[in-house]
Amino acid sequence: MFGLFASQEKKMRANAGNWLELADKVWHYRRDQLTPPEAKELLARTEHLRQAVKAKADAAKLKLGIEALEPVLRRVGGKIYPKSSLVENVEFFVVAAIVVLGFRAYFVQPFKIPTNSMWPTYYGMTAENFPPGSDLPGPIARAFRFVAFGAQRIEADAPVEGQVTADFFESGGMARAMAYKVVSGRSWLVLPTQLKEYTFYVNGEPTHVRVPLDFHDVDSVVQETYFGGPEKFASFAEQQARSGQPEKGVLKISDQAGYARVVRLPLGKHVTAGAPVIRFDLMTGDQLFVDRFSYNFVRPSVGSGFVFRTGHIPGIANQFGDQYYIKRLVGVPGDTIAIRDYRLYRNGVPETGAAAFEKNAQRVEKYPGYRAEGSLANGGTMTVPADGFLALGDNSANSEDGRFWGYVPAKDAVGRPLFIYYPFTKRWGPAK
C-alpha cells in the first residue's frame, strides 16, 4: 500500500516537472509579447508549483498547483501551448526524419543492387519470362511474389491483329540489341524518374513497355520469346543482314545520347488483338544495408564488397552522374593487378581474400571467370595510385568496372555491405 502511494507521488512529481519545463519554455519564447499582468501571473503560478516540487509536497498539492498553472498557460501560451494534434504529429515525424537521416548518413545506409555486374554474389533486377501460352501465377501467387520478391508484371498487348516487328540497334551492319528511348516517368507513381521505353509494332501499330534505366533483361526476354534464345537470334540477325531486307531508319534515343542507327525486324509471329506481345515479371534487385562507419577508421580490405560514389569518375559521371555503385575491391594503393586465364593476380600472385576470386578462376557455381578486357587486355596491368582503389565486378563477362573507367578516388569510398534484407530468397542474410 505504501509503495502504491509512493509510486503515485513519484509520477505526480514527474508530471509537475514537465509542466514547469513547458512554463519556462512559454516564458522564454513569449515574455516580450506578454502584458505585465500576464507575465506576473505566469511567473507566480510557475514559482508556486516549483516550490511545491522542491518541498516534496504530496500528490494532492502538486495536482492543485498544476491545475492552477494550466489555465494560465492556455491563455498566454500562443503556438507553444496548447498544441494541436497536427502540430504534435508533424513535430514527431520531423524529429524522426532527422534521426533516420543522420543514422543513414553516418552509420548504416540501405542500398539496392541495380545491375547484375556482381552476379551471382548479388542479384540486380532480373526478368522471369512468361511467353504467350505459358502458365501465369494466380492472384494469390502473384500477390505473394510481389511481397516476397518485389515482382512487378511488365507486359504489352497487341493493339490489333497482325505480324509483330520491333526496332533493333545496328552495329557492324547487323542488329544487336532492341532499340529503346529514354522517357520521363514516375517511380512509385509519385517520384520523377527516367525510364527506358521499348516499342513493338503489330501490323504497324505501336505498343510499349517501360522499365527502369538499370534494367537490361528485355533483350533476353525478346530473344527467348521470339527466337528460342540468344544464339538463334544472332543467327537470325545475321541472315537478315545478308539479305539486305530490314527497313533502316534513325531513332532518337535521348537528347544526351543523340541518334543511333536502327533496323526494323520481323519477329516471326502473328498475334491476335489483345494477345500479349511481351510479358514478364521484373524481379527486384538485392537490397542490403551498407556499413558507412568503418571506413572512417580502417582502410577498405581487398576482397570485400565495396560501395562507392561515382561523381568523380569521368567514365561514369559524364554519362550517369553521381550514383552509388557496388563492386568488389581488388586493389589498394600500390597494388598491381593483372588477369591471366580467367584468374585475377595481385602483385604477381593469385588474388585472395574472397570466395568469388577462386570461383571465378575455376569458373564454377555460375561465376564466369575474369575477362582480360579494357586496361587489362592483352597482358596489361593496372597499378593503383596512392589516392585510389580498384574495383571489379564478380560477373566479369558483364560488368562495366575499373577495367574500363579506372580507379575509385579514396574520398568517394562509402562502405561495405552488411546484410541482404530483401527480397526473401536464399541470399537473405549476411552479405558476402
Side-chain angles (χ1 to χ4, degrees):
M1 181 68 70
F2 290 109
L4 176 61
F5 285 130
S7 175
Q8 292 296 328
E9 289 188 359
K10 185 177 180 180
K11 291 180 179 178
M12 188 59 70
R13 281 197 297 273
N15 191 21
N18 292 333
W19 280 98
L20 288 172
E21 182 178 344
L22 177 59
D24 289 339
K25 184 176 181 181
V26 171
W27 172 253
H28 290 305
Y29 278 86
R30 304 201 73 241
R31 59 185 176 185
D32 59 334
Q33 301 176 43
L34 302 180
T35 65
E38 289 174 336
K40 182 178 179 180
E41 186 178 13
L42 174 60
L43 290 175
R45 296 298 186 186
T46 302
E47 186 60 25
H48 181 268
L49 181 58
R50 198 185 311 277
Q51 290 303 320
V53 172
K54 288 182 179 180
K56 297 184 178 180
D58 60 30
K61 291 182 179 180
L62 292 174
K63 186 172 185 294
L64 289 174
I66 292 172
E67 290 176 348
L69 175 61
E70 195 277 336
V72 179
L73 291 175
R74 184 175 293 276
R75 289 199 308 271
V76 305
K79 293 182 179 180
I80 299 174
Y81 183 83
K83 289 184 178 179
S84 68
S85 59
L86 175 61
V87 171
E88 290 181 343
N89 289 335
V90 169
E91 285 188 354
F92 171 80
F93 285 112
V94 168
V95 172
I98 291 172
V99 171
V100 169
L101 291 174
F103 191 78
R104 182 182 185 275
Y106 296 104
F107 295 98
V108 175
Q109 173 181 341
F111 177 82
K112 181 177 179 180
I113 304 293
T115 70
N116 282 291
S117 68
M118 287 292 287
W119 180 90
T121 308
Y122 306 122
Y123 279 39
M125 290 178 287
T126 56
E128 183 172 346
N129 189 23
F130 298 108
S134 62
D135 293 332
L136 290 175
I140 296 177
R142 185 171 176 180
F144 171 80
R145 287 163 57 83
F146 175 76
V147 173
F149 312 128
Q152 300 180 57
R153 182 62 49 81
I154 306 293
E155 58 187 333
D157 294 332
V160 295
E161 182 178 355
Q163 295 291 326
V164 183
T165 60
D167 290 334
F168 290 79
F169 291 133
E170 182 187 56
S171 176
M174 193 170 81
R176 303 291 179 179
M178 191 170 170
Y180 63 87
K181 294 189 292 185
V182 177
V183 298
S184 297
R186 297 284 178 179
S187 175
W188 298 103
L189 303 178
V190 176
L191 302 177
T193 188
Q194 287 190 311
L195 304 170
K196 290 193 292 190
E197 182 181 82
Y198 293 84
T199 302
F200 299 84
Y201 300 90
V202 181
N203 198 26
E205 294 293 325
T207 183
H208 314 280
V209 293
R210 292 183 174 184
V211 297
L213 281 180
D214 291 324
F215 182 69
H216 304 299
D217 272 7
V218 170
D219 285 306
S220 64
V221 173
V222 171
Q223 291 167 10
E224 179 184 343
T225 299
Y226 288 95
F227 302 98
E231 294 81 7
K232 292 183 178 180
F233 168 75
S235 176
F236 170 79
E238 185 176 357
Q239 293 175 5
Q240 290 290 320
R242 285 201 302 265
S243 71
Q245 294 178 355
E247 175 187 345
K248 295 190 177 183
V250 173
L251 176 71
K252 186 176 183 182
I253 306 171
S254 72
D255 292 337
Q256 291 75 30
Y259 295 84
R261 182 70 62 180
V262 301
V263 293
R264 182 164 297 177
L265 297 179
L267 300 187
K269 285 190 177 181
H270 183 278
V271 295
T272 59
V277 173
I278 185 173
R279 181 174 57 196
F280 61 92
D281 276 359
L282 191 158
M283 316 297 283
T284 187
D286 288 343
Q287 298 179 38
L288 46 81
F289 291 120
V290 174
D291 168 20
R292 297 188 62 126
F293 187 70
S294 298
Y295 285 0
N296 294 310
F297 302 98
V298 297
R299 188 169 76 167
S301 58
V302 168
S304 67
F306 184 61
V307 178
F308 56 94
R309 300 189 68 163
T310 64
H312 298 101
I313 304 175
I316 304 175
N318 292 344
Q319 185 173 2
F320 300 108
D322 189 9
Q323 298 187 30
Y324 288 97
Y325 269 28
I326 183 170
K327 304 290 181 184
R328 192 170 300 281
L329 186 61
V330 303
V332 296
D335 286 343
T336 296
I337 306 299
I339 295 176
R340 297 195 297 273
D341 297 327
Y342 300 105
R343 183 181 288 274
L344 199 62
Y345 287 81
R346 178 182 173 216
N347 301 324
V349 299
E351 185 93 68
T352 60
F357 292 152
E358 188 61 30
K359 290 178 180 179
N360 260 312
Q362 298 181 16
R363 304 175 72 186
V364 296
E365 298 182 21
K366 299 182 180 180
Y367 287 84
Y370 288 103
R371 305 301 170 91
E373 299 174 342
S375 297
L376 296 179
N378 303 316
T381 62
M382 298 179 69
T383 299
V384 185
D387 60 346
F389 298 102
L390 182 61
L392 304 184
D394 288 350
N395 185 9
S396 183
N398 188 27
S399 175
E400 289 287 334
D401 51 35
R403 295 170 297 169
F404 304 99
W405 38 251
Y407 307 99
V408 178
K411 62 183 179 182
D412 290 330
V414 172
R416 60 188 180 87
L418 288 177
F419 194 94
I420 298 175
Y421 65 88
Y422 189 77
F424 301 115
T425 66
K426 62 182 180 180
R427 297 183 304 283
W428 187 91
K432 298 178 182 180

